[in-house]
């Protein structure tokens, strides 16, 4: 079960002088929602296009179910993708849009009506897609992705333009599909959209993976009760705090990071040991902060347990 | 109106395709004229019209100002930008007028260069094809009033074709279909005229935008023309005005 | 967790081949579900038929014998106008022919041989203005290259009857010809006083044999003809004719030839001794323009015959110029433009909307997608073209006939070829512009290029002339229009075989091969780019 279903290895791609992908490497496992998050221009869409065989990488490989996408037979039965919900022929009805896709995979027409029901498009499906609202287009795109009942679902920014009700519906849908054992890869440029839904997060920046961890790990890393202490005698301070039974780690020459102790107690411990300090700051980072920290700088975080922790 | 003009000018100016299209129009027009001037070989002493021959490139070159004019509005519909545009400039007649002025201005500039190039090509190449004073043909020169009329008229012709195309595209709204319609309206009647006999042929040539409009290029044997030069240009102008009027009305009546 | 919802992934050896049927059905679904395209394609066929009617209707054959009413313009019709076309004879194989000549006949019963020496052959060319009837009043000396003088055998003097003839010609030497299309050369050289030629025609049953000789003693057999069903009693005789010359004007000038025959001897049973002189096919109702009706004299032992006309295949522009396809081609161009727009949009719209990515996600084999699209639009365009032509060809001929036009006779096979050819023409063009759309990815540039390259040769043809025009229909995609060619080329007639007269430079299917090459080139380039480019 833990066998990865999408394997992306060392992708490189340039568009002219701009580097889009710079050693992108990750895997996506089934049975969970994997968030694919990074600022605009980080390389999310390019990576998804490479996975779907739309763009050719300069280097590296992307495998789906162990094969390059181009080698999949009836690929919509293996991968459902929502890349651009606006990619519709406006004068074709939503149902006919699904119909040609179904024809390309030898699916019966009845399947088209099933997915229309599933996404709640209903009678709108027989209207021209040009008249659809953003949310309806999104639902049609999701219907297209679900058409082949695929074990892998890839969605590029699926929440764009959705109303709150739609977002909740979407989260539930993706979650339930993950519970069914599918691999779900959802990209977003907003961590907050993924926070309550993703089981695992890939943070992307400048064409590579900055963080690849479960949400729990990221949150533990980010919002553990960390306190930063600035002192001219870092090693003495760390020693004193460790003797007091707390984890303390020297970050650089005059900063240490302490966890499991409140700032006030730290001040007490250091005062008793007569160690000078200039600043004691409690750290209360959210997932969003880690994300911003990761994506604004060169910082990289990879949970040590990353490969093992998966059940 | 000034703001609308400025806005539309900025839109046109900042599209990379505009410059290429105008350059393409000049190159295609002069190129075709040069090719025809190089290919033609005249032995008889009469029956040829050196100015008209030098301006042959307009036949094909006119497609590009037409495409430019179509794109000016149809691409806005294609990308949905028309809604932004109409939010910024809610007076739709003014908007269309601003587009028309800009398209006309750009076509005028490109047309002047293209026609000048054609005449130069005619001046340089046609004597080599046997169209020289020794064979009874005057050199192509705008010092002849009829040649000047043909040259100015050809520029006006291009401008009117662009305006006609803008009107058609405002009605049709789709790039592909608009271009198909414009090219059909321009090119089908002259071909049809070749396929039928008089008097239908003559009537067709009198009312079709291209054959009537291009009567302005004739400098010899004016009596055999289906329609007098300026009257012919007037027919084309009527076409352009009608298409812009219908386009403007529909632009105003329809939802964007 | 279980993977029960995952469909089993099937091992694939060659997904390309296995899935093509579904790609095809998918593309067909795409095409038929955009109403505008369906309407466009139906409109293309309707336009084609409608324009065929308009063009056919706009062609009124007829003429006016009186002058234009006073005060009217240079192009206004005259008075005493009529509709209807002059008589064009039909040859033994159903082809349109010219059969106008001066004959001195010698009815023959059974087998026999006629021998004669041609001692001179001279000619006159009409030089008068185009608007007066040709007469000997305005002429200058000149012998047409295919002026003919010799011995002829035919069962009947009805125009279009089978025949065989041995003849001296203006500048093609001695010739053996029969049934309007068959021709074999004999002795070369022109007839002069110092170089007369002897001719001999022998009838044995249904078999006719032609001989020539430079001296009347050593004879050389040029060829034989088998005119099945030749009656016992046939017309054997001397004839002279001289065809229209197109050397100086494109509308042609009639000519007349005069030949002197000496040593005319018949070996066989003559039905009667009366040698009657006839003028055949030179009446006012006959289409072939002649310079007078000719004459025959017998100075001394010689026969001097003057004649005008031709015995050969009918050619344009003399016979009027309407064919099974002559009112169709304009409608086809109109249909072509509509088809070009739809075929281009079939792919450029996908690029425009980003839909191409969805397509390639559903079918990653991009070549398959392009080939399927090409197949779908190609077949649909074929149906549109063939249907339009299937209605247009008979309709056009019907309207033309109704208007009094002469329509060149065509075989059913030729009509089927025009109908199928129109379909293939549209299909290949649709495939080519589809590929163009895949290459350029933009509607505007693809459609403009498509229309300029594929639909405008006729307009270019108006600007060009002569060989430039002919090359246009040889090497450009316009060669596809050669499939509409109906009129047979004839090497035994000097005539302007121009496109304006309905003669195409390539054989019908050869023209389609040229167009096919363009479509293949475009498709190949598109395939290459599709595989290389990111979607």
């Amino acid at each position: 079960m833990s066998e990865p279903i999408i394997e992306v290895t060392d992708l490189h791609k340039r568009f002219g002088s701009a580097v889009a992908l710079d050693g992108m490497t990750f895997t996506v496992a089934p049975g969970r929602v994997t968030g694919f998050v990074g600022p605009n221009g980080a390389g999310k869409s390019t990576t998804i296009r490479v996975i779907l065989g739309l763009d050719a990488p300069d280097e590296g490989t992307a495998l789906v179910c162990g094969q390059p996408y181009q080698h999949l037979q009836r690929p919509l039965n293996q991968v459902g993708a929502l890349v651009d919900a606006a990619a519709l022929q406006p004068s074709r009805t939503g149902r006919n849009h699904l119909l040609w896709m179904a024809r390309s995979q030898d699916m019966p027409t009845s399947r088209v009506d099933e997915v229309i029901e599933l996404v709640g498009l209903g009678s709108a499906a027989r209207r021209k897609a040009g008249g659809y609202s953003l949310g309806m287009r999104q639902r049609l795109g999701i219907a297209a992705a679900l058409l082949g009942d695929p074990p892998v679902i890839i969605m590029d920014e699926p929440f764009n333009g959705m109303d709150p009700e739609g977002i909740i519906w979407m989260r539930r849908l993706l979650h339930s599909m993950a519970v069914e054992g599918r691999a779900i890869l959802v990209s977003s440029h907003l961590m907050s959209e993924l926070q309550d839904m993703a089981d695992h997060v890939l943070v992307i920046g400048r064409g590579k993976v900055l963080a690849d961890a479960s949400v729990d790990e990221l949150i533990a890393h980010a919002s553990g009760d960390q306190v930063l202490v600035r002192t001219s005698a870092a090693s003495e301070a760390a020693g004193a705090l460790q003797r007091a039974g707390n984890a303390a780690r020297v970050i650089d020459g005059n900063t240490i990071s302490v966890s499991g102790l409140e700032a006030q107690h730290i001040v007490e411990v250091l005062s008793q040991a007569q160690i000078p300090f200039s600043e004691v700051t409690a750290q209360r980072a959210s997932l969003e902060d880690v994300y911003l920290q990761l994506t604004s700088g060169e910082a990289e975080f990879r949970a040590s347990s990353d490969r093992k922790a998966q059940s | 109106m000034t703001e609308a003009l400025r806005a539309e000018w900025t839109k046109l100016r900042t599209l990379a395709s505009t410059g290429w299209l105008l350059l393409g129009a000049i190159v295609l027009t002069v190129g075709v004229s040069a090719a025809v001037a190089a290919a033609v070989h005249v032995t008889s002493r009469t029956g040829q019209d050196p100015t008209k021959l030098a301006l042959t490139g307009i036949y094909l070159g006119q497609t590009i100002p037409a495409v430019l004019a179509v794109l000016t509005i149809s691409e806005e519909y294609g990308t949905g930008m028309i809604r932004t545009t109409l939010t910024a400039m809610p007076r739709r007649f003014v908007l269309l007028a601003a587009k028309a002025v800009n398209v006309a201005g750009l076509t005028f500039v490109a047309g002047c260069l293209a026609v000048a190039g054609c005449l130069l090509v005619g001046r340089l190449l046609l004597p080599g094809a046997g169209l020289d004073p020794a064979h009874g043909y005057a050199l192509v020169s705008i010092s002849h009033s009829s040649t000047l009329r043909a040259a100015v008229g050809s520029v006006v012709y291009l401008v009117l074709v662009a305006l006609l195309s803008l009107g058609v595209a405002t009605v049709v709204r789709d790039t592909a279909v608009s271009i198909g319609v414009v090219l059909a309206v321009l090119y089908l009647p002259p071909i049809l005229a070749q396929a039928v006999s008089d008097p239908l042929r003559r009537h067709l040539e009198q009312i079709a935008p291209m054959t009537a409009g291009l009567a302005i290029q004739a400098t010899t044997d004016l009596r055999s023309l289906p329609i007098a030069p300026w009257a012919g240009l007037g027919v084309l102008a009527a076409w352009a005005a009608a298409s812009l009027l219908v386009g403007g009305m529909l632009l105003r009546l329809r939802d964007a | 967790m279980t993977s029960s919802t995952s469909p089993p992934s099937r091992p694939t050896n060659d997904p390309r081949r296995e899935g093509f049927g579904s790609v095809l059905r998918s593309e067909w679904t795409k095409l038929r579900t955009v109403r505008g395209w369906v309407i466009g394609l139906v409109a293309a066929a309707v336009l084609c038929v409608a324009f065929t009617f308009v063009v056919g209707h706009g062609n009124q054959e007829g003429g006016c014998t009186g002058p234009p009413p006073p005060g009217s313009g240079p192009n206004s019709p005259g008075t005493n106008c009529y509709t209807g076309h002059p008589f064009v004879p039909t040859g033994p194989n159903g082809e349109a022919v010219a059969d106008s000549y001066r004959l001195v006949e010698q009815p023959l019963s059974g087998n026999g041989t006629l021998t004669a020496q041609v001692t001179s052959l001279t000619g006159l060319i009409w030089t008068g203005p185009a608007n007066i009837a040709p007469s000997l009043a305005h002429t200058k000396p000149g012998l047409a290259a295919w002026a003919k003088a010799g011995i002829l055998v035919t069962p009947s003097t009805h125009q279009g009857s089978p025949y065989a003839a041995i003849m001296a010609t203006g500048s093609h030497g001695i010739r053996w010809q029969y049934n309007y299309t068959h021709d074999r050369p004999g002795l070369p050289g022109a007839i002069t006083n110092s170089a007369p030629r002897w001719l001999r025609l022998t009838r044995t049953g249904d078999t006719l044999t032609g001989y020539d000789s430079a001296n009347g003693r050593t004879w050389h057999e040029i060829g034989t003809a088998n005119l099945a069903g030749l009656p016992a009693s046939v017309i054997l005789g001397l004839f002279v004719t001289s065809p229209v010359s197109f050397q100086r004007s494109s509308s042609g000038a009639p000519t007349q030839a005069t030949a002197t025959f000496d040593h005319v001897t018949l070996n066989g049973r003559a039905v009667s001794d009366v040698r009657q002189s006839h003028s055949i096919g030179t009446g006012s109702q006959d289409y072939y323009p002649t310079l007078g009706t000719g004459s025959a004299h017998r100075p001394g032992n010689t026969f001097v015959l003057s004649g005008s006309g031709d015995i050969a295949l009918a050619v344009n522009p003399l016979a009027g110029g309407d064919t099974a396809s002559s009112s169709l081609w304009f409608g086809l161009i109109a249909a072509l433009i509509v088809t070009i727009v739809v075929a281009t949009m079939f792919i450029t719209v996908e690029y425009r909307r980003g839909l191409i990515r969805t397509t390639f996600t559903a079918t990653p084999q991009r070549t398959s997608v392009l080939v399927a699209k090409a197949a779908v639009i190609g077949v649909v365009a074929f149906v549109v073209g063939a249907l339009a032509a299937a209605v247009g060809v008979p309709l056009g001929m019907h309207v033309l006939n109704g208007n009094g036009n002469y329509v060149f006779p065509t075989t059913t096979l030729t009509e089927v070829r025009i109908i199928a050819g129109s379909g293939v023409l549209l299909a290949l063009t649709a495939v080519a512009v589809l590929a163009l759309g895949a290459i350029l990815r933009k509607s505007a540039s693809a459609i403009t290029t498509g229309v300029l390259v594929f639909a405008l040769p006729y307009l270019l043809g108006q600007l060009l002339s002569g060989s430039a025009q002919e090359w246009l229909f040889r090497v450009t995609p316009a060669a596809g229009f050669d499939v509409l060619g109906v009129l047979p080329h004839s090497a035994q007639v000097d005539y302007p075989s121009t496109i304006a007269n309905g003669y195409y430079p390539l054989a019908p299917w050869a023209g389609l091969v040229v167009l096919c090459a363009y479509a293949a080139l475009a498709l190949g380039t598109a395939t290459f780019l599709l595989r290389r480019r990111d979607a």
Side-chain angles (χ1 to χ4, degrees):
Chain A
M1 189 56 244
S2 64
E3 190 131 317
I5 204 153
I6 298 176
E7 287 178 271
V8 171
T9 315
D10 198 28
L11 292 182
H12 287 80
K13 186 166 178 71
R14 308 173 137 269
F15 293 110
S17 61
V19 176
L21 300 180
D22 187 17
M24 181 74 73
T25 303
F26 63 85
T27 60
V28 175
R32 65 189 192 188
V33 176
T34 302
F36 196 50
V37 61
N40 291 325
K44 300 187 298 290
S45 293
T46 307
T47 306
I48 288 177
R49 287 215 293 268
V50 169
I51 294 172
L52 296 174
L54 295 170
D55 286 11
D58 300 335
E59 264 177 64
T61 56
L63 301 181
V64 185
C65 305
Q67 296 183 79
Y69 189 88
Q70 287 91 330
H71 293 185
L72 296 176
Q73 197 206 2
R74 293 183 184 138
L76 298 190
N77 290 321
Q78 320 227 16
V79 183
L82 170 61
V83 177
D84 177 8
L88 294 166
Q89 161 84 41
S91 48
R92 193 179 281 131
T93 66
R95 186 174 180 278
N96 281 332
H97 175 73
L98 296 172
L99 189 62
W100 74 254
M101 294 181 79
R103 289 283 177 272
S104 75
Q105 314 291 307
D106 261 348
M107 287 174 201
T109 312
S110 56
R111 178 63 191 159
V112 169
D113 297 318
E114 277 171 39
V115 289
I116 287 172
E117 280 307 306
L118 190 64
V119 300
L121 213 49
S123 60
R126 289 184 186 270
R127 293 212 312 265
K128 285 187 179 178
Y132 284 11
S133 68
L134 236 53
M136 279 154 86
R137 286 175 195 213
Q138 213 73 348
R139 281 172 195 256
L140 181 60
I142 290 158
L146 299 180
L147 197 60
D149 194 17
V152 182
I153 288 174
I154 298 175
M155 300 214 165
D156 197 4
E157 305 275 1
F159 301 106
N160 276 1
M162 278 207 141
D163 52 16
E165 203 183 328
I167 292 178
I168 292 168
W169 168 78
M170 180 81 167
R171 284 182 173 169
R172 280 204 194 126
L173 181 75
L174 291 178
H175 185 73
S176 69
M177 286 194 298
V179 169
E180 285 170 7
R182 294 175 220 258
I184 318 280
L185 182 66
V186 182
S187 86
S188 174
H189 60 282
L190 296 173
M191 182 66 105
S192 56
E193 285 180 344
L194 300 175
Q195 202 154 11
D196 302 330
M197 182 185 63
D199 307 301
H200 194 88
V201 179
L202 294 159
V203 182
I204 307 299
R206 296 175 196 182
K208 55 188 161 198
V209 175
L210 300 178
D212 180 350
S214 71
V215 171
D216 294 342
E217 283 168 341
L218 258 191
I219 286 175
H221 168 73
S223 52
D225 294 328
Q226 304 264 331
V227 179
L228 284 187
V229 178
R230 237 170 247 287
T231 168
S232 51
S235 52
E236 287 93 333
L241 288 163
Q242 275 160 359
R243 277 192 297 279
N246 296 299
R249 194 159 55 88
V250 178
I251 293 175
D252 58 38
N254 45 17
T255 312
I256 55 175
S257 159
V258 186
S259 53
L261 201 62
E262 288 191 13
Q264 204 171 348
H265 288 115
I266 292 171
V267 171
E268 282 171 17
V269 170
L270 292 180
S271 302
Q272 278 173 7
Q274 292 195 322
I275 294 166
F277 60 91
S278 56
E279 191 184 331
V280 176
T281 325
Q283 283 245 297
R284 296 230 174 259
S286 67
L287 198 55
E288 195 74 30
D289 291 330
V290 180
Y291 166 59
L292 288 175
Q293 187 196 333
L294 283 167
T295 52
S296 60
E298 287 292 344
E300 205 162 321
F301 169 75
R302 202 169 268 270
S304 55
S305 56
D306 183 27
R307 296 275 178 266
K308 292 165 265 167
Q310 295 160 13
S311 55
Chain B
M1 182 73 196
T2 324
E3 298 83 357
L5 273 176
R6 283 233 188 94
E8 287 304 319
W9 166 242
T10 310
K11 264 193 229 163
L12 264 176
R13 180 172 60 81
T14 48
L15 267 177
S17 60
T18 308
W20 287 114
L21 280 172
L22 292 173
L23 187 67
I26 299 168
V27 170
L28 182 66
T29 308
V30 179
V32 170
S33 279
V36 169
V40 80
H41 188 74
V42 176
T43 47
S44 67
R45 283 183 159 262
T46 52
Q48 293 294 329
D49 185 341
T51 302
K52 194 172 164 63
L53 216 52
L55 292 169
T56 305
I58 303 280
Y59 274 84
L60 287 186
Q62 61 180 333
T63 51
I64 300 190
V67 168
L68 174 73
V70 165
L71 291 179
T72 311
I73 187 130
S74 70
E75 282 300 278
E76 293 215 16
Y77 279 103
T79 55
M81 194 164 85
I82 191 71
R83 295 188 195 98
T84 316
T85 302
L86 289 175
T87 319
M89 290 171 273
R91 288 155 68 204
R92 299 187 178 184
F93 268 135
V94 173
L95 170 71
L96 187 61
K99 281 189 187 294
V101 169
N102 274 300
V103 164
L106 283 177
T107 308
F108 180 79
V109 173
C112 284
L113 292 172
V115 166
C118 287
L119 292 181
L120 193 65
V121 158
R123 175 76 174 234
L124 296 177
L125 292 183
L126 285 180
L131 289 162
D132 52 11
H135 290 81
Y137 293 105
L139 289 177
V140 173
S141 159
I142 54 166
S143 60
H144 304 299
S145 64
S146 55
T147 303
L148 183 63
R149 184 251 300 145
V152 172
S154 293
V155 176
V156 177
Y157 173 85
L158 288 177
V159 170
L160 291 174
V161 165
L163 292 178
L164 168 64
S165 311
L166 180 67
V168 168
T170 312
V171 175
V172 175
R173 299 194 283 193
D174 179 88
T175 304
V177 178
S178 301
I179 291 177
V181 169
V182 166
L183 295 185
V185 165
L186 287 177
Y187 290 120
L188 281 184
I191 307 178
L192 177 62
Q194 298 303 320
V196 298
S197 49
D198 280 327
L200 187 56
R201 170 187 296 197
R202 204 172 165 77
H203 289 318
L204 253 176
E205 288 175 343
Q206 283 165 345
I207 58 163
M210 180 171 157
T211 44
L214 283 178
I216 199 76
Q217 290 189 342
T219 60
T220 61
D221 204 13
L222 296 186
R223 299 196 63 186
S224 71
L225 286 177
I227 187 166
W230 288 110
L233 213 52
V235 169
L236 177 60
W239 275 89
S243 83
L244 280 177
L245 198 66
V246 173
M249 298 294 280
L250 287 176
L251 186 64
R252 224 167 119 168
L253 291 174
R254 285 192 299 213
D255 294 336
Chain C
M1 280 183 205
T2 64
S3 55
S4 61
T5 52
S6 317
S9 65
R10 277 150 278 185
T12 55
N13 295 329
D14 189 358
R16 223 157 296 193
R17 194 164 301 164
E18 257 183 46
F20 188 69
S22 43
V23 187
L24 217 52
R25 279 194 294 281
S26 169
E27 291 300 332
W28 164 241
T29 308
K30 273 189 203 169
L31 185 73
R32 76 173 170 80
T33 53
V34 175
R35 200 194 296 160
W37 296 347
V38 176
I39 292 172
L41 290 166
V42 172
V46 172
L47 266 181
C48 183
V49 173
F51 276 123
T52 303
F53 179 80
V54 169
V55 171
H57 202 69
N59 271 317
Q60 297 259 352
E61 183 75 14
C64 300
T65 52
S72 58
N75 287 338
S76 54
T79 49
N80 295 337
C81 294
Y82 61 92
T83 54
H85 64 83
F87 174 68
V88 181
T90 303
N93 296 315
E95 68 279 38
V97 298
D99 201 9
S100 308
Y101 54 99
R102 168 62 64 164
L103 174 74
V104 173
E105 68 164 307
Q106 169 70 74
L108 172 80
S109 180
N111 296 336
T113 298
L114 187 66
T115 306
Q117 184 196 29
V118 185
T119 57
S120 84
L121 182 59
T122 58
L124 294 172
I125 299 177
W126 162 250
T127 57
N131 56 352
I132 62 169
S135 72
L136 291 169
H138 302 272
T139 56
K140 61 170 188 183
L143 184 61
W146 279 108
K148 295 165 183 164
I151 306 166
L152 174 142
V153 65
T154 176
S156 150
T157 55
H158 280 298
Q159 291 183 66
S161 304
Y163 75 96
I166 178 83
M167 65 194 76
T169 65
S171 54
H172 294 282
I174 307 299
R175 293 276 164 169
W176 167 248
Q177 295 186 348
Y178 61 97
N179 283 0
Y180 308 93
T181 53
H182 302 273
D183 172 63
R184 288 191 83 158
L187 285 171
I191 305 290
T192 61
N193 273 333
S194 54
R197 294 289 186 227
W198 291 80
L199 305 174
R200 174 174 285 171
L201 200 159
T202 302
R203 184 219 174 156
T204 315
D206 287 353
T207 304
L208 304 152
T209 313
Y211 304 86
D212 65 359
S213 167
N215 51 25
R217 290 184 299 275
T218 49
W219 290 91
H220 171 247
E221 181 189 319
I222 308 179
T224 60
N226 200 346
L227 302 187
L230 205 60
S233 202
V234 293
I235 292 161
L236 185 61
L238 303 173
F239 79 99
V240 171
T241 190
S242 183
V244 169
S245 162
F246 291 95
Q247 228 143 24
R248 301 210 168 251
S249 86
S250 57
S251 54
T255 66
Q256 189 199 58
T258 302
T260 310
F261 297 89
D262 204 352
H263 301 102
V264 181
T265 44
L266 175 70
N267 209 329
R269 194 161 69 82
V271 174
S272 81
D273 265 349
V274 184
R275 288 169 168 155
Q276 279 187 326
S277 169
H278 298 284
S279 176
I280 290 150
T282 57
S284 61
Q285 76 283 1
D286 292 308
Y287 88 97
Y288 201 91
T290 55
L291 189 55
T293 57
S295 60
H297 312 282
R298 281 205 65 176
N301 282 331
T302 64
F303 289 82
V304 177
L305 271 70
S306 291
S308 183
D310 203 359
I311 309 175
L313 273 183
V315 296
N316 267 337
L318 302 177
D322 286 311
T323 63
S325 61
S326 61
S327 48
L328 178 72
W329 62 261
F330 175 75
L332 265 187
I333 293 178
L336 203 61
I337 291 183
V338 180
T339 311
I340 285 171
V341 171
V342 175
T344 312
M345 288 177 84
F346 192 37
I347 191 149
T348 53
V349 161
E350 291 206 23
Y351 276 106
R352 170 67 138 134
R353 306 280 166 190
L355 193 60
I356 195 80
R357 297 203 190 95
T358 315
T359 300
F360 287 152
T361 312
T363 313
Q365 293 80 30
R366 300 182 182 183
T367 311
S368 297
V369 171
L370 188 67
V371 171
K373 271 189 187 300
V376 167
I377 197 72
V379 168
V380 169
F382 174 84
V383 171
V384 167
L387 271 182
V391 179
V393 166
L395 176 75
M397 288 166 77
H398 178 77
V399 172
L400 286 171
N401 278 322
N403 275 351
N405 292 273
Y406 177 71
V407 180
F408 268 77
T410 38
T411 60
T412 310
L413 198 65
T414 306
E415 283 174 36
V416 168
R417 185 250 295 164
I418 293 170
I419 290 166
S422 302
V424 176
L425 175 69
L426 247 58
L428 289 175
T429 308
V431 169
V433 296
L434 174 85
L436 205 59
I439 294 167
L440 297 172
R441 296 187 281 193
K442 292 267 192 284
S443 297
S445 49
I447 289 179
T448 311
T449 314
V451 171
L452 288 188
V453 172
F454 291 96
L456 285 192
Y458 273 92
L459 189 78
L460 276 175
Q462 307 301 326
L463 306 179
L464 303 172
S465 57
S467 61
Q469 190 188 35
E470 205 153 285
W471 278 104
L472 203 68
F473 286 84
R474 253 181 223 279
V475 298
T476 70
F481 277 92
D482 291 14
V483 81
L484 299 181
V486 172
L487 302 176
H489 289 265
S490 174
Q492 288 90 55
V493 187
D494 283 333
Y495 64 106
S497 60
T498 60
I499 287 136
N501 285 336
Y503 293 94
Y504 293 85
L506 291 179
W509 297 112
L512 285 184
V513 168
V514 172
L515 181 59
C516 197
Y518 279 94
L521 181 70
L523 210 53
T525 310
T527 309
F528 173 75
L529 287 176
L530 269 192
R531 294 167 77 116
R532 234 191 47 156
R533 283 195 300 219
D534 290 336

